[in-house]
Amino acid sequence: MKSQKERSLMYRAVREFFDSRGYSEIFTPTLSADLIPEPTIQNFSTLFTSPFLPSRELYLIPSPEIFMKQVMAEEKTSVYQISQCFRNSEQLGSVHNPEFTMLEYYTMGFSDKDSIRLTRELIDAVLFDYSPSFLRKDFIVLSVNEAMKKWAGCDLDRLQDRQALLEKARKLGQHPDDDEAWDDIFNRIFITYVEPSLPEDRIVVLTDYPYQIDCLAKKQDGRPYRSRWELYIAGIEVANCYEEETSPAVTAEYYRKEHERTVRERQGSGNVIPAVSESFPSLSIPPSSGVAIGLDRLLMCLTGKKDIREVLLFPMQDMIRS
């Protein structure tokens, strides 16, 4: 039960951190009638029944984003939330559980780079006296291209063409299909060479993701990039951040493409195809930056544990086996 006492202390420190900075803590539903389309995330569904209303499918949220952004659009204030989230078809193991706890926070007027500093301050605020000492060191901040050059020998500036990246992957011993998309080839290389090479005694932040990852691209020094970063502790992805898109037209186009991809990839598979909100893409989101942190993974790192099941009272793997 020790880890549950530590969890309680961590939650208290998180709330004190954001409350002292003027954020509003919000509490949004765990069940939703529609979701933001995310083809890479499988969903849980359930059936709502009533003697007075038509039955309909509802979904366990993979993150509270769909509700939090509605609050932001209405209230124009910085918000945070600790919530239970659900992702189907997740691995069961040392860093995955289909039900997990997420901290999500959106900061008005912040860029994705501003959120790096804020997240450094947050981690400092939740450290225990006995947390691993490397957690107190400065973040290592690298662009994705710098990390790819360092650990995979790939200069993405020279590999913008899909065929060029395909040939590079094959030279590295990968076996992508002839028609595999640029972003899928990139992920093959990244997961095989970069993630396993990240130092285990530092916190690493990877910034400026390739614009090919999705259509929400921005420009920096004349070059397109994704205003996104991911944070790794001891080689484990713990957090990610986006500078929020404020153009409803761009959001709607992204939303449409992601929904089409979800339908295309899941039709006939038996996997859930969530309903999508028609009003969500038109929300007027103020300039802001959003960060999502997996609190179970963070707690594991804060306490020096190597397995997420050591900080969960009822890991899914145990329930399934019983």
Side-chain angles (χ1 to χ4, degrees):
M1 292 293 291
K2 181 182 178 184
S3 65
Q4 299 312 303
K5 176 64 174 177
E6 293 164 328
R7 181 182 291 271
S8 176
L9 292 171
M10 179 179 68
Y11 286 9
R12 187 181 308 164
V14 165
R15 289 189 164 102
E16 289 174 353
F17 178 87
F18 286 108
D19 290 348
S20 70
R21 286 163 171 77
Y23 288 68
S24 297
E25 182 177 12
I26 59 176
F27 304 88
T28 62
T30 301
L31 279 175
S32 181
D34 39 50
L35 297 176
I36 298 171
E38 295 178 280
T40 59
I41 295 175
Q42 297 291 341
N43 308 107
F44 287 97
S45 67
T46 188
L47 185 67
F48 167 77
T49 60
S50 167
F52 310 107
L53 297 169
S55 299
R56 69 166 299 169
E57 191 173 49
L58 297 176
Y59 313 99
L60 290 169
I61 58 163
S63 88
E65 177 183 0
I66 193 166
F67 294 115
M68 294 187 77
K69 287 186 174 178
Q70 292 176 56
V71 174
M72 284 188 66
E74 178 70 24
E75 301 294 333
K76 305 294 192 292
T77 187
S78 298
V79 295
Y80 77 96
Q81 180 170 196
I82 296 172
S83 62
Q84 292 304 107
C85 300
F86 305 83
R87 299 187 181 184
N88 210 347
S89 299
E90 284 283 313
Q91 301 176 46
L92 297 174
S94 60
V95 296
H96 290 92
N97 197 65
E99 178 180 359
F100 59 97
T101 310
M102 181 181 287
L103 165 66
E104 198 155 326
Y105 48 98
Y106 292 84
T107 310
M108 295 281 291
F110 265 33
S111 69
D112 57 322
K113 301 303 188 295
D114 294 326
S115 285
I116 295 176
R117 172 183 52 80
L118 181 70
T119 303
R120 168 74 274 180
E121 294 172 0
L122 172 63
I123 290 177
D124 287 341
V126 300
L127 287 171
F128 302 115
D129 292 341
Y130 46 86
S131 293
S133 60
F134 77 84
L135 296 178
R136 293 175 169 83
K137 296 180 180 178
D138 290 340
F139 291 172
I140 296 173
V141 181
L142 297 171
S143 71
V144 168
N145 195 29
E146 289 171 330
M148 288 285 280
K149 285 192 286 188
K150 181 179 180 67
W151 289 300
C154 293
D155 184 349
L156 296 180
D157 288 342
R158 299 175 180 271
L159 297 169
Q160 294 296 297
D161 178 72
R162 190 196 69 84
Q163 188 63 34
L165 187 63
L166 177 70
E167 292 171 3
K168 181 64 176 179
R170 287 174 174 165
K171 287 179 181 178
L172 289 169
Q174 299 294 296
H175 304 284
D177 297 331
D178 289 339
D179 60 350
E180 196 160 307
W182 191 99
D183 57 328
D184 291 328
I185 302 170
F186 163 82
N187 284 325
R188 278 178 178 269
I189 298 171
F190 184 83
I191 292 169
T192 303
Y193 293 96
V194 176
E195 282 194 341
S197 301
L198 296 173
E200 296 196 0
D201 60 349
R202 294 294 293 273
I203 299 177
V204 179
V205 176
L206 298 182
T207 68
D208 299 346
Y209 272 69
Y211 76 96
Q212 293 96 330
I213 298 301
D214 62 38
C215 69
L216 294 182
K218 298 182 183 293
K219 286 188 179 291
Q220 177 175 288
D221 300 326
R223 293 170 49 241
Y225 77 103
R226 266 309 317 270
S227 52
R228 162 190 174 190
W229 53 255
E230 292 186 347
L231 181 145
Y232 292 79
I233 300 179
I236 300 167
E237 183 189 344
V238 173
N240 63 64
C241 169
Y242 292 89
E243 186 175 318
E244 297 305 323
E245 179 56 60
T246 57
S247 166
V250 173
T251 300
E253 177 65 8
Y254 169 72
Y255 197 83
R256 181 187 65 79
K257 288 183 176 180
E258 292 293 271
H259 180 55
E260 288 178 353
R261 179 183 166 191
T262 301
V263 172
R264 182 172 65 251
E265 294 182 357
R266 297 187 190 179
Q267 273 184 334
S269 68
N271 293 324
V272 174
I273 302 176
V276 296
S277 167
E278 294 183 3
S279 61
F280 181 83
S282 63
L283 289 177
S284 180
I285 306 294
S288 56
S289 172
V291 179
I293 295 182
L295 287 183
D296 305 316
R297 289 185 181 182
L298 178 60
L299 181 59
M300 180 179 73
C301 296
L302 293 177
T303 55
K305 302 290 196 302
K306 300 298 183 183
D307 194 312
I308 200 170
R309 289 165 291 196
E310 295 184 69
V311 300
L312 298 173
L313 271 180
F314 302 101
M316 182 73 74
Q317 189 166 328
D318 291 352
M319 290 191 281
I320 291 174
R321 284 178 175 172
S322 63

Tab-separated table of all heavy atoms in Angstrom, residues 230-274:
chain	number	residue	atom	x	y	z
A	230	GLU	N	7.651	15.473	-26.775
A	230	GLU	CA	7.406	14.326	-25.898
A	230	GLU	C	8.521	14.260	-24.864
A	230	GLU	O	9.679	14.567	-25.166
A	230	GLU	CB	7.334	13.034	-26.720
A	230	GLU	CG	6.111	12.993	-27.624
A	230	GLU	CD	5.929	11.662	-28.336
A	230	GLU	OE1	6.873	10.852	-28.326
A	230	GLU	OE2	4.847	11.451	-28.910
A	231	LEU	N	8.152	13.863	-23.661
A	231	LEU	CA	9.098	13.807	-22.554
A	231	LEU	C	9.303	12.358	-22.129
A	231	LEU	O	8.327	11.624	-21.927
A	231	LEU	CB	8.570	14.642	-21.382
A	231	LEU	CG	9.438	14.727	-20.124
A	231	LEU	CD1	9.300	16.115	-19.476
A	231	LEU	CD2	9.067	13.661	-19.093
A	232	TYR	N	10.567	11.984	-22.016
A	232	TYR	CA	10.939	10.627	-21.631
A	232	TYR	C	11.718	10.663	-20.318
A	232	TYR	O	12.623	11.483	-20.140
A	232	TYR	CB	11.822	9.980	-22.706
A	232	TYR	CG	11.115	9.693	-24.004
A	232	TYR	CD1	10.889	10.707	-24.936
A	232	TYR	CD2	10.667	8.408	-24.320
A	232	TYR	CE1	10.242	10.446	-26.131
A	232	TYR	CE2	10.014	8.141	-25.515
A	232	TYR	CZ	9.810	9.166	-26.412
A	232	TYR	OH	9.174	8.910	-27.596
A	233	ILE	N	11.353	9.769	-19.415
A	233	ILE	CA	12.105	9.585	-18.171
A	233	ILE	C	12.630	8.165	-18.165
A	233	ILE	O	11.860	7.209	-18.312
A	233	ILE	CB	11.235	9.828	-16.924
A	233	ILE	CG1	10.680	11.261	-16.923
A	233	ILE	CG2	12.039	9.579	-15.653
A	233	ILE	CD1	9.781	11.574	-15.736
A	234	ALA	N	13.948	8.027	-18.028
A	234	ALA	CA	14.583	6.709	-18.062
A	234	ALA	C	14.174	5.927	-19.301
A	234	ALA	O	13.953	4.722	-19.253
A	234	ALA	CB	14.254	5.924	-16.786
A	235	GLY	N	14.041	6.636	-20.413
A	235	GLY	CA	13.688	5.988	-21.675
A	235	GLY	C	12.212	5.683	-21.851
A	235	GLY	O	11.827	5.093	-22.864
A	236	ILE	N	11.363	6.077	-20.898
A	236	ILE	CA	9.921	5.793	-20.948
A	236	ILE	C	9.173	7.078	-21.279
A	236	ILE	O	9.377	8.111	-20.630
A	236	ILE	CB	9.425	5.241	-19.598
A	236	ILE	CG1	10.150	3.941	-19.250
A	236	ILE	CG2	7.915	5.020	-19.619
A	236	ILE	CD1	9.946	3.501	-17.817
A	237	GLU	N	8.307	7.027	-22.277
A	237	GLU	CA	7.506	8.205	-22.601
A	237	GLU	C	6.499	8.455	-21.481
A	237	GLU	O	5.684	7.582	-21.149
A	237	GLU	CB	6.761	8.022	-23.921
A	237	GLU	CG	5.966	9.259	-24.316
A	237	GLU	CD	5.046	9.040	-25.502
A	237	GLU	OE1	5.218	8.044	-26.233
A	237	GLU	OE2	4.126	9.871	-25.666
A	238	VAL	N	6.571	9.642	-20.893
A	238	VAL	CA	5.721	9.989	-19.756
A	238	VAL	C	4.756	11.116	-20.092
A	238	VAL	O	3.654	11.181	-19.541
A	238	VAL	CB	6.591	10.369	-18.536
A	238	VAL	CG1	5.752	10.912	-17.388
A	238	VAL	CG2	7.411	9.164	-18.063
A	239	ALA	N	5.135	12.012	-21.017
A	239	ALA	CA	4.302	13.183	-21.302
A	239	ALA	C	4.430	13.580	-22.753
A	239	ALA	O	5.428	13.272	-23.424
A	239	ALA	CB	4.705	14.356	-20.406
A	240	ASN	N	3.397	14.288	-23.249
A	240	ASN	CA	3.494	14.932	-24.556
A	240	ASN	C	2.786	16.271	-24.501
A	240	ASN	O	1.954	16.521	-23.624
A	240	ASN	CB	2.957	14.042	-25.672
A	240	ASN	CG	1.490	13.743	-25.533
A	240	ASN	OD1	0.645	14.636	-25.597
A	240	ASN	ND2	1.166	12.474	-25.341
A	241	CYS	N	3.158	17.130	-25.435
A	241	CYS	CA	2.640	18.495	-25.439
A	241	CYS	C	2.352	18.941	-26.857
A	241	CYS	O	3.064	18.560	-27.796
A	241	CYS	CB	3.675	19.438	-24.807
A	241	CYS	SG	3.325	21.205	-25.025
A	242	TYR	N	1.314	19.752	-26.996
A	242	TYR	CA	0.988	20.380	-28.271
A	242	TYR	C	0.742	21.870	-28.044
A	242	TYR	O	0.174	22.252	-27.020
A	242	TYR	CB	-0.275	19.790	-28.893
A	242	TYR	CG	-0.139	18.366	-29.356
A	242	TYR	CD1	-0.412	17.314	-28.491
A	242	TYR	CD2	0.261	18.072	-30.654
A	242	TYR	CE1	-0.288	15.996	-28.922
A	242	TYR	CE2	0.392	16.764	-31.091
A	242	TYR	CZ	0.111	15.731	-30.222
A	242	TYR	OH	0.239	14.439	-30.641
A	243	GLU	N	1.175	22.673	-28.993
A	243	GLU	CA	0.713	24.047	-29.051
A	243	GLU	C	-0.620	23.996	-29.785
A	243	GLU	O	-0.685	23.543	-30.929
A	243	GLU	CB	1.719	24.912	-29.801
A	243	GLU	CG	1.390	26.396	-29.798
A	243	GLU	CD	2.497	27.203	-30.455
A	243	GLU	OE1	3.683	26.903	-30.207
A	243	GLU	OE2	2.161	28.116	-31.242
A	244	GLU	N	-1.686	24.402	-29.129
A	244	GLU	CA	-3.020	24.156	-29.657
A	244	GLU	C	-3.304	24.968	-30.917
A	244	GLU	O	-2.943	26.143	-31.008
A	244	GLU	CB	-4.076	24.465	-28.585
A	244	GLU	CG	-3.972	23.560	-27.361
A	244	GLU	CD	-4.035	22.083	-27.708
A	244	GLU	OE1	-4.800	21.718	-28.634
A	244	GLU	OE2	-3.320	21.298	-27.079
A	245	GLU	N	-3.946	24.309	-31.871
A	245	GLU	CA	-4.342	24.965	-33.119
A	245	GLU	C	-5.534	25.879	-32.854
A	245	GLU	O	-6.512	25.466	-32.220
A	245	GLU	CB	-4.702	23.910	-34.163
A	245	GLU	CG	-5.137	24.478	-35.486
A	245	GLU	CD	-4.098	25.402	-36.087
A	245	GLU	OE1	-2.964	24.944	-36.342
A	245	GLU	OE2	-4.428	26.588	-36.269
A	246	THR	N	-5.450	27.122	-33.303
A	246	THR	CA	-6.524	28.086	-33.036
A	246	THR	C	-7.389	28.356	-34.264
A	246	THR	O	-8.369	29.092	-34.169
A	246	THR	CB	-5.940	29.424	-32.545
A	246	THR	OG1	-5.016	29.925	-33.528
A	246	THR	CG2	-5.217	29.241	-31.216
A	247	SER	N	-7.050	27.772	-35.411
A	247	SER	CA	-7.839	27.985	-36.622
A	247	SER	C	-8.891	26.887	-36.759
A	247	SER	O	-8.545	25.727	-36.978
A	247	SER	CB	-6.933	27.988	-37.854
A	247	SER	OG	-7.706	27.871	-39.035
A	248	PRO	N	-10.180	27.209	-36.650
A	248	PRO	CA	-11.213	26.179	-36.828
A	248	PRO	C	-11.131	25.482	-38.179
A	248	PRO	O	-11.407	24.286	-38.287
A	248	PRO	CB	-12.517	26.958	-36.663
A	248	PRO	CG	-12.154	28.127	-35.810
A	248	PRO	CD	-10.759	28.499	-36.252
A	249	ALA	N	-10.725	26.210	-39.226
A	249	ALA	CA	-10.652	25.601	-40.559
A	249	ALA	C	-9.584	24.519	-40.605
A	249	ALA	O	-9.794	23.429	-41.162
A	249	ALA	CB	-10.366	26.675	-41.613
A	250	VAL	N	-8.420	24.804	-40.019
A	250	VAL	CA	-7.332	23.811	-39.993
A	250	VAL	C	-7.730	22.622	-39.126
A	250	VAL	O	-7.519	21.463	-39.489
A	250	VAL	CB	-6.027	24.452	-39.481
A	250	VAL	CG1	-4.943	23.391	-39.298
A	250	VAL	CG2	-5.541	25.523	-40.450
A	251	THR	N	-8.336	22.912	-37.968
A	251	THR	CA	-8.784	21.838	-37.090
A	251	THR	C	-9.812	20.952	-37.782
A	251	THR	O	-9.761	19.721	-37.695
A	251	THR	CB	-9.383	22.416	-35.799
A	251	THR	OG1	-8.390	23.188	-35.128
A	251	THR	CG2	-9.853	21.306	-34.869
A	252	ALA	N	-10.761	21.558	-38.491
A	252	ALA	CA	-11.809	20.797	-39.170
A	252	ALA	C	-11.220	19.884	-40.239
A	252	ALA	O	-11.656	18.730	-40.402
A	252	ALA	CB	-12.834	21.752	-39.785
A	253	GLU	N	-10.218	20.361	-40.971
A	253	GLU	CA	-9.597	19.540	-42.009
A	253	GLU	C	-8.858	18.358	-41.398
A	253	GLU	O	-8.948	17.225	-41.876
A	253	GLU	CB	-8.639	20.399	-42.834
A	253	GLU	CG	-7.874	19.656	-43.913
A	253	GLU	CD	-8.770	19.101	-45.022
A	253	GLU	OE1	-9.977	19.421	-45.047
A	253	GLU	OE2	-8.249	18.332	-45.854
A	254	TYR	N	-8.125	18.621	-40.318
A	254	TYR	CA	-7.430	17.543	-39.597
A	254	TYR	C	-8.438	16.518	-39.070
A	254	TYR	O	-8.262	15.307	-39.220
A	254	TYR	CB	-6.630	18.149	-38.452
A	254	TYR	CG	-6.085	17.148	-37.464
A	254	TYR	CD1	-5.027	16.311	-37.800
A	254	TYR	CD2	-6.621	17.047	-36.176
A	254	TYR	CE1	-4.523	15.403	-36.893
A	254	TYR	CE2	-6.127	16.131	-35.271
A	254	TYR	CZ	-5.076	15.314	-35.632
A	254	TYR	OH	-4.587	14.409	-34.724
A	255	TYR	N	-9.491	17.021	-38.470
A	255	TYR	CA	-10.547	16.188	-37.888
A	255	TYR	C	-11.164	15.281	-38.963
A	255	TYR	O	-11.363	14.083	-38.771
A	255	TYR	CB	-11.593	17.141	-37.322
A	255	TYR	CG	-12.596	16.600	-36.331
A	255	TYR	CD1	-12.278	16.494	-34.981
A	255	TYR	CD2	-13.891	16.270	-36.733
A	255	TYR	CE1	-13.229	16.065	-34.061
A	255	TYR	CE2	-14.839	15.839	-35.821
A	255	TYR	CZ	-14.495	15.745	-34.488
A	255	TYR	OH	-15.429	15.316	-33.579
A	256	ARG	N	-11.457	15.887	-40.127
A	256	ARG	CA	-12.068	15.134	-41.224
A	256	ARG	C	-11.143	14.015	-41.697
A	256	ARG	O	-11.574	12.865	-41.874
A	256	ARG	CB	-12.383	16.075	-42.384
A	256	ARG	CG	-13.039	15.396	-43.573
A	256	ARG	CD	-13.177	16.344	-44.750
A	256	ARG	NE	-11.887	16.753	-45.288
A	256	ARG	CZ	-11.140	15.993	-46.098
A	256	ARG	NH1	-11.550	14.781	-46.438
A	256	ARG	NH2	-9.988	16.444	-46.554
A	257	LYS	N	-9.877	14.332	-41.905
A	257	LYS	CA	-8.930	13.331	-42.400
A	257	LYS	C	-8.733	12.195	-41.393
A	257	LYS	O	-8.661	11.019	-41.773
A	257	LYS	CB	-7.591	13.985	-42.715
A	257	LYS	CG	-7.603	14.852	-43.961
A	257	LYS	CD	-6.218	15.405	-44.263
A	257	LYS	CE	-6.205	16.208	-45.565
A	257	LYS	NZ	-4.854	16.757	-45.860
A	258	GLU	N	-8.651	12.547	-40.119
A	258	GLU	CA	-8.457	11.523	-39.101
A	258	GLU	C	-9.682	10.617	-38.985
A	258	GLU	O	-9.556	9.406	-38.776
A	258	GLU	CB	-8.144	12.166	-37.743
A	258	GLU	CG	-6.793	12.857	-37.677
A	258	GLU	CD	-5.639	11.867	-37.779
A	258	GLU	OE1	-5.196	11.358	-36.743
A	258	GLU	OE2	-5.173	11.606	-38.916
A	259	HIS	N	-10.868	11.194	-39.114
A	259	HIS	CA	-12.078	10.366	-39.060
A	259	HIS	C	-12.142	9.438	-40.274
A	259	HIS	O	-12.468	8.245	-40.133
A	259	HIS	CB	-13.323	11.240	-39.001
A	259	HIS	CG	-14.599	10.462	-38.945
A	259	HIS	ND1	-14.850	9.500	-37.980
A	259	HIS	CD2	-15.700	10.485	-39.749
A	259	HIS	CE1	-16.050	8.970	-38.183
A	259	HIS	NE2	-16.575	9.545	-39.254
A	260	GLU	N	-11.834	9.952	-41.449
A	260	GLU	CA	-11.833	9.114	-42.653
A	260	GLU	C	-10.839	7.973	-42.516
A	260	GLU	O	-11.124	6.837	-42.903
A	260	GLU	CB	-11.500	9.965	-43.881
A	260	GLU	CG	-12.629	10.895	-44.293
A	260	GLU	CD	-12.246	11.760	-45.479
A	260	GLU	OE1	-11.050	11.728	-45.888
A	260	GLU	OE2	-13.120	12.489	-45.999
A	261	ARG	N	-9.663	8.277	-41.971
A	261	ARG	CA	-8.664	7.231	-41.784
A	261	ARG	C	-9.142	6.189	-40.779
A	261	ARG	O	-8.966	4.985	-40.969
A	261	ARG	CB	-7.344	7.845	-41.316
A	261	ARG	CG	-6.237	6.825	-41.071
A	261	ARG	CD	-4.981	7.483	-40.551
A	261	ARG	NE	-4.064	6.486	-40.007
A	261	ARG	CZ	-2.990	6.780	-39.289
A	261	ARG	NH1	-2.682	8.039	-39.034
A	261	ARG	NH2	-2.214	5.820	-38.818
A	262	THR	N	-9.777	6.648	-39.692
A	262	THR	CA	-10.296	5.720	-38.682
A	262	THR	C	-11.318	4.768	-39.294
A	262	THR	O	-11.256	3.548	-39.086
A	262	THR	CB	-10.946	6.502	-37.519
A	262	THR	OG1	-9.977	7.373	-36.931
A	262	THR	CG2	-11.460	5.546	-36.450
A	263	VAL	N	-12.261	5.313	-40.058
A	263	VAL	CA	-13.291	4.489	-40.696
A	263	VAL	C	-12.648	3.510	-41.678
A	263	VAL	O	-12.965	2.310	-41.692
A	263	VAL	CB	-14.329	5.379	-41.408
A	263	VAL	CG1	-15.297	4.526	-42.229
A	263	VAL	CG2	-15.103	6.213	-40.389
A	264	ARG	N	-11.732	4.011	-42.492
A	264	ARG	CA	-11.083	3.173	-43.512
A	264	ARG	C	-10.332	2.003	-42.883
A	264	ARG	O	-10.408	0.871	-43.363
A	264	ARG	CB	-10.135	4.047	-44.333
A	264	ARG	CG	-9.431	3.318	-45.471
A	264	ARG	CD	-8.662	4.285	-46.337
A	264	ARG	NE	-7.564	4.941	-45.643
A	264	ARG	CZ	-7.559	6.228	-45.299
A	264	ARG	NH1	-8.593	7.001	-45.573
A	264	ARG	NH2	-6.524	6.752	-44.661
A	265	GLU	N	-9.623	2.256	-41.807
A	265	GLU	CA	-8.780	1.227	-41.202
A	265	GLU	C	-9.558	0.249	-40.327
A	265	GLU	O	-9.106	-0.868	-40.089
A	265	GLU	CB	-7.661	1.877	-40.384
A	265	GLU	CG	-6.664	2.648	-41.255
A	265	GLU	CD	-5.533	3.262	-40.450
A	265	GLU	OE1	-5.550	3.140	-39.198
A	265	GLU	OE2	-4.626	3.864	-41.065
A	266	ARG	N	-10.747	0.662	-39.845
A	266	ARG	CA	-11.466	-0.195	-38.896
A	266	ARG	C	-12.681	-0.891	-39.495
A	266	ARG	O	-13.208	-1.825	-38.882
A	266	ARG	CB	-11.889	0.632	-37.675
A	266	ARG	CG	-10.712	1.179	-36.890
A	266	ARG	CD	-11.128	1.845	-35.599
A	266	ARG	NE	-10.001	2.547	-35.005
A	266	ARG	CZ	-10.045	3.239	-33.873
A	266	ARG	NH1	-11.190	3.335	-33.210
A	266	ARG	NH2	-8.967	3.846	-33.418
A	267	GLN	N	-13.161	-0.462	-40.655
A	267	GLN	CA	-14.327	-1.103	-41.238
A	267	GLN	C	-14.070	-2.588	-41.445
A	267	GLN	O	-13.047	-2.984	-41.992
A	267	GLN	CB	-14.675	-0.451	-42.578
A	267	GLN	CG	-15.577	0.754	-42.446
A	267	GLN	CD	-15.975	1.328	-43.789
A	267	GLN	OE1	-15.271	1.185	-44.776
A	267	GLN	NE2	-17.139	1.989	-43.836
A	268	GLY	N	-15.017	-3.394	-40.966
A	268	GLY	CA	-14.913	-4.833	-41.122
A	268	GLY	C	-14.012	-5.513	-40.125
A	268	GLY	O	-13.923	-6.744	-40.104
A	269	SER	N	-13.354	-4.744	-39.240
A	269	SER	CA	-12.411	-5.342	-38.289
A	269	SER	C	-13.081	-5.729	-36.972
A	269	SER	O	-12.519	-6.502	-36.193
A	269	SER	CB	-11.281	-4.359	-37.986
A	269	SER	OG	-11.774	-3.237	-37.258
A	270	GLY	N	-14.260	-5.173	-36.715
A	270	GLY	CA	-14.912	-5.388	-35.429
A	270	GLY	C	-14.482	-4.378	-34.378
A	270	GLY	O	-15.043	-4.352	-33.276
A	271	ASN	N	-13.487	-3.541	-34.685
A	271	ASN	CA	-13.047	-2.512	-33.737
A	271	ASN	C	-14.032	-1.345	-33.729
A	271	ASN	O	-14.707	-1.062	-34.727
A	271	ASN	CB	-11.655	-2.008	-34.103
A	271	ASN	CG	-10.593	-3.070	-33.916
A	271	ASN	OD1	-10.658	-3.876	-32.986
A	271	ASN	ND2	-9.610	-3.090	-34.803
A	272	VAL	N	-14.107	-0.671	-32.592
A	272	VAL	CA	-15.052	0.432	-32.408
A	272	VAL	C	-14.699	1.590	-33.333
A	272	VAL	O	-13.531	1.996	-33.445
A	272	VAL	CB	-15.024	0.912	-30.940
A	272	VAL	CG1	-15.886	2.160	-30.763
A	272	VAL	CG2	-15.502	-0.197	-30.011
A	273	ILE	N	-15.712	2.123	-34.004
A	273	ILE	CA	-15.570	3.355	-34.787
A	273	ILE	C	-16.408	4.412	-34.070
A	273	ILE	O	-17.631	4.452	-34.216
A	273	ILE	CB	-16.046	3.182	-36.235
A	273	ILE	CG1	-15.264	2.056	-36.927
A	273	ILE	CG2	-15.901	4.490	-37.003
A	273	ILE	CD1	-15.735	1.752	-38.344
A	274	PRO	N	-15.787	5.261	-33.265
A	274	PRO	CA	-16.573	6.193	-32.451
A	274	PRO	C	-17.302	7.226	-33.293
A	274	PRO	O	-16.832	7.638	-34.360
A	274	PRO	CB	-15.514	6.874	-31.572
A	274	PRO	CG	-14.298	6.024	-31.667
A	274	PRO	CD	-14.345	5.382	-33.008
